[in-house]
């Protein structure tokens, strides 16, 4: 069975709508077809949140609840905690010997993070190397991610090819799988919704919070009166309606798009409809989360056992890596 590896940073105790359409949805869809490893990437969280390690425990639990609430099945999926899979950082060092510094300096995510105020640390540059190790250590074939992570998966591909050419075929060449909405915009109209960007609708938001966030959402700034023709293309309200509406919402959404572009419906009416659509979508997710919230020991056990399995996998890959590289002097 081919493998999936993907993960998330515990920078919040909940996922948002962007995480869902960018990556989680594909993971749920593919969990029967692929042996799936899901990584809670606490080491990656340190690149921007090293001053907030006190929140890690709460956030790790929150993400675990998030996975289970969207329908990832713990009988099929291996959930694991990055910092406990010690082989990963060792492999990352090995991969760094095959990495040109200029490639890391050119990575698009770096400039973005620095612009957002991240500290200019070595770990921030090293991010793609560690992520390549995350992907390669369980020898994954497919990596379901949002578009912001695509360049990192491509980096992992390149480095896997380089390694295999130099030392022999150890790694499958991983491929990115981008979600149905490659980058969901934020409620503020910014290009990307982010856990740490203060522009997210979280899967844990209450119906009232969802409604409040939606009513305050960015729409078409050029539209002042309800009779002004509005822009549908690129408007987050309509992007969310397309992404989260059910089959039976399609007709009404098309109708609203037409009325909006002609200036025949107000923002408030469309937003009220969107809040309803989102709350319908979130209904079963909230229900499932509430069930797992009652079983914290079970949730911890799922992560602990998964981490143990991932650690064993990592050790066995590392052994092959060292053998291929002639770093197995004592064997
Ligand atoms: P942070 O702001 O702390 O980096 P994040 O929201 O970017 O948080 P990550 O944990 O970095 O979340 O990413 C988890 C997964 O969700 C990745 O596959 C990423 O590509 C995807 N993702 C994140 N934001 C979006 C978005 N707005 N649209 C689509 N996919 C997204
Ligand atoms: Mg991110």
């Amino acid at each position: 069975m081919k493998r999936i590896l993907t993960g998330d940073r515990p920078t919040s105790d909940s996922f948002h709508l962007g995480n869902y359409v960018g990556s989680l949805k594909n993971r749920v869809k593919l969990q029967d077809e692929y042996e799936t490893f899901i990584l809670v990437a606490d080491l990656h969280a340190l690149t921007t949140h090293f001053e907030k390690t006190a929140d890690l425990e709460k956030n790790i639990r929150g993400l675990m609840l998030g996975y289970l609430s969207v329908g990832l099945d713990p009988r099929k999926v291996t959930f694991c905690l990055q910092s406990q899979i010690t082989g990963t950082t060792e492999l990352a060092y090995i991969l760094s010997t095959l990495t040109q510094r200029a490639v890391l300096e050119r990575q698009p995510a770096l400039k973005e993070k620095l612009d957002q105020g991240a500290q200019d640390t070595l770990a921030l540059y090293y991010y793609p190397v560690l992520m390549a190790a995350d992907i390669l250590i369980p020898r994954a074939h497919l990596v379901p991610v949002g578009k912001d992570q695509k360049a990192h998966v491509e980096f992992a591909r390149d480095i896997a090819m380089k390694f295999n050419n130099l030392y022999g075929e150890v790694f499958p060449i991983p491929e990115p799988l981008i979600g149905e909405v490659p980058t969901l915009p934020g409620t503020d109209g910014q290009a990307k919704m982010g856990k740490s960007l203060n522009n997210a609708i979280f899967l844990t938001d209450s119906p009232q919070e969802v409604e409040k966030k939606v009513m305050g959402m960015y729409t078409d700034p050029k539209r002042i009166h309800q009779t002004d023709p509005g822009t549908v293309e690129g408007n987050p309200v309509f992007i969310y309606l397309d992404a989260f509406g059910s089959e039976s919402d399609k007709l009404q959404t098309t109708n609203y798009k037409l009325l909006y572009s002609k200036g025949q419906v107000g923002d408030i009416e469309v937003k009220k409809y969107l809040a309803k659509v989102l709350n319908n979508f979130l209904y079963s997710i909230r229900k499932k989360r509430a069930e797992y919230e009652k079983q914290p020991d079970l949730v911890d056990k799922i992560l602990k056992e998964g981490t143990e399995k991932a650690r064993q996998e990592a050790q066995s890959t590392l052994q092959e890596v060292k053998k291929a590289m002639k770093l197995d002097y004592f064997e």
Side-chain angles (χ1 to χ4, degrees):
M1 210 179 197
K2 287 195 172 179
R3 284 185 172 174
I4 277 180
L5 174 290
T6 190
D8 311 275
R9 307 195 318 144
T11 47
S12 154
D13 62 1
S14 177
F15 289 110
H16 55 66
L17 296 175
N19 300 135
Y20 184 82
V21 283
S23 176
L24 290 167
K25 192 172 176 184
N26 273 333
R27 304 181 206 179
V28 175
K29 196 167 85 188
L30 296 174
Q31 63 183 331
D32 293 314
E33 270 172 71
Y34 285 79
E35 186 182 0
T36 301
F37 289 80
I38 293 184
L39 190 71
V40 180
D42 52 351
L43 294 180
H44 284 307
L46 294 179
T47 55
T48 50
H49 286 58
F50 60 87
E51 286 155 323
K52 296 185 183 150
T53 54
D55 295 339
L56 277 174
E57 193 176 317
K58 174 174 77 66
N59 292 348
I60 290 165
R61 283 223 176 87
L63 293 198
M64 282 302 293
L65 289 169
Y67 295 136
L68 299 167
S69 70
V70 297
L72 287 164
D73 183 342
R75 287 166 302 185
K76 297 177 191 154
V77 174
T78 304
F79 297 99
C80 46
L81 187 58
Q82 187 184 29
S83 61
Q84 307 305 309
I85 306 169
T86 44
T88 308
T89 43
E90 202 176 335
L91 179 61
Y93 173 76
I94 289 170
L95 300 180
S96 79
T97 64
L98 306 178
T99 304
Q100 297 295 315
R101 197 181 59 179
V103 172
L104 295 185
E105 281 169 357
R106 278 198 306 264
Q107 50 168 318
L110 179 66
K111 190 179 174 302
E112 217 164 275
K113 290 277 182 215
L114 289 171
D115 288 348
Q116 286 163 11
Q119 301 240 7
D120 200 358
T121 60
L122 280 178
L124 200 66
Y125 282 76
Y126 196 70
Y127 196 108
V129 183
L130 186 58
M131 181 162 156
D134 294 330
I135 295 167
L136 299 182
I137 213 154
R139 286 183 268 194
H141 303 83
L142 193 68
V143 190
V145 284
K147 190 163 162 245
D148 62 311
Q149 295 293 327
K150 188 166 177 244
H152 292 154
V153 183
E154 279 159 2
F155 173 81
R157 269 178 82 76
D158 292 347
I159 209 154
M161 286 193 245
K162 206 162 169 184
F163 185 99
N164 287 354
N165 284 336
L166 261 172
Y167 301 118
E169 295 285 320
V170 173
F171 300 117
I173 307 304
E175 282 203 47
L177 176 70
I178 308 300
E180 154 187 300
V181 183
T183 311
L184 192 78
T187 51
D188 56 357
Q190 291 300 307
K192 182 185 170 302
M193 181 179 283
K195 281 196 223 91
S196 332
L197 299 176
N198 217 1
N199 64 1
I201 295 179
F202 289 96
L203 305 186
T204 45
D205 284 344
S206 68
Q208 296 74 22
E209 278 167 323
V210 170
E211 177 149 352
K212 192 161 163 240
K213 285 184 184 178
V214 168
M215 295 321 279
M217 256 178 85
Y218 175 98
T219 52
D220 175 358
K222 295 188 299 295
R223 190 171 188 241
I224 297 157
H225 306 292
Q226 137 168 5
T227 47
D228 297 342
T231 313
V232 169
E233 184 84 11
N235 187 328
V237 170
F238 291 102
I239 294 176
Y240 292 9
L241 277 176
D242 283 335
F244 299 99
S246 65
E247 251 342 274
S248 59
D249 296 312
K250 280 205 171 129
L251 196 62
Q252 182 60 290
T253 299
T254 310
N255 193 21
Y256 273 142
K257 282 182 184 169
L258 196 67
L259 293 174
Y260 194 86
S261 63
K262 287 185 179 163
Q264 291 173 358
V265 66
D267 274 37
I268 294 180
E269 182 176 334
V270 185
K271 283 177 165 178
K272 282 215 158 117
Y273 179 64
L274 173 61
K276 206 174 80 192
V277 163
L278 292 180
N279 279 325
N280 282 343
F281 163 74
L282 291 171
Y283 179 80
S284 59
I285 296 178
R286 289 186 186 119
K287 223 166 106 183
K288 212 154 187 188
R289 183 163 175 129
E291 280 168 30
Y292 279 107
E293 263 169 354
K294 287 186 241 152
Q295 309 171 72
D297 292 346
L298 173 68
V299 176
D300 275 353
K301 187 165 162 257
I302 291 169
L303 183 60
K304 201 165 173 207
E305 288 179 0
T307 302
E308 190 45 50
K309 178 174 164 197
R311 193 172 15 213
Q312 281 167 20
E313 282 295 329
Q315 284 312 322
S316 111
T317 302
L318 208 51
Q319 243 175 12
E320 287 220 17
V321 164
K322 288 183 172 173
K323 195 164 141 215
M325 294 177 79
K326 317 282 180 227
L327 294 173
D328 57 345
Y329 189 78
F330 292 119
E331 298 295 316

